[in-house]
Amino acid sequence: MSEVFRFGKAAVRPQQAPVPVMIAGQAIIATRCISVLLLVNELGYDGIADFIHRSAQAWDSTLIFVASQMLFFIELRCALTLMRGSRRGRLLYALSQAVVLLYLWAASVGWIYPEIFSISGASNGEIFHRLILHKSPDLLVLLLLFLPASSRQFFQRR
């Protein structure tokens, strides 16, 4: 009976997101928030202030710092919108992960300076292996968003 009062007689009940989509959205939010907490715990107040101060010394460092912060908020926004069924949120999250993967690879190989977010390794194969291990949680989230039939159907109906 409360459904009638909430949605009216002719209104259709909004469809809930399937379990893989909900898990993926919550995993994005959790991993991003936990990574910020771990960074704050590792650096402390003085370390964070020093990191921000060093990032503001040169234009390229400042640009990368600001872009990383924007990417953080874009990924959080994508997580919230994809749980509501937004195809754009799912595709924007996939695009953001491709950009991050490309940047990390280029910085690790030494093509992009400054190498703030680089992954060390002796050869390209070792760098690529470490990069895939580093990004494996995000790759699993992408698999949850694109592979299960329930996820694909949920985003096709929207």
Side-chain angles (χ1 to χ4, degrees):
M1 188 68 177
S2 64
E3 298 289 326
V4 173
F5 292 123
R6 233 182 289 162
F7 302 113
K9 288 183 181 181
V12 179
R13 184 176 166 187
Q15 182 184 9
Q16 270 203 319
V19 173
V21 174
M22 292 299 289
I23 290 172
Q26 292 171 0
I28 294 168
I29 294 169
T31 56
R32 297 310 177 258
C33 293
I34 289 173
S35 69
V36 168
L37 289 175
L38 288 173
L39 184 67
V40 168
N41 184 42
E42 180 72 23
L43 295 177
Y45 177 76
D46 294 333
I48 290 174
D50 186 46
F51 176 71
I52 292 171
H53 178 71
R54 271 190 272 137
S55 294
Q57 295 299 316
W59 281 105
D60 51 357
S61 298
T62 303
L63 180 65
I64 290 173
F65 179 72
V66 170
S68 68
Q69 299 307 308
M70 285 179 49
L71 189 66
F72 173 78
F73 289 113
I74 287 171
E75 288 175 346
L76 287 180
R77 178 68 178 165
C78 288
L80 295 174
T81 60
L82 68 86
M83 285 192 288
R84 286 186 278 165
S86 171
R87 278 188 226 159
R88 281 186 275 170
R90 180 176 76 151
L91 294 176
L92 187 61
Y93 180 72
L95 180 67
S96 69
Q97 291 309 304
V99 167
V100 168
L101 195 64
L102 185 67
Y103 174 79
L104 283 174
W105 177 74
S108 299
V109 172
W111 291 352
I112 297 177
Y113 296 101
E115 299 171 343
I116 294 175
F117 300 109
S118 65
I119 296 174
S120 62
S123 65
N124 281 343
E126 185 180 346
I127 289 172
F128 184 73
H129 179 70
R130 287 185 182 185
L131 186 60
I132 294 300
L133 286 177
H134 180 73
K135 295 303 287 178
S136 61
D138 297 319
L139 294 174
L140 290 173
V141 167
L142 284 171
L143 289 176
L144 282 174
L145 292 174
F146 285 96
L147 279 187
S150 61
S151 296
R152 289 192 311 262
Q153 291 171 357
F154 177 68
F155 288 111
Q156 285 175 354
R157 282 184 247 160
R158 299 277 170 162

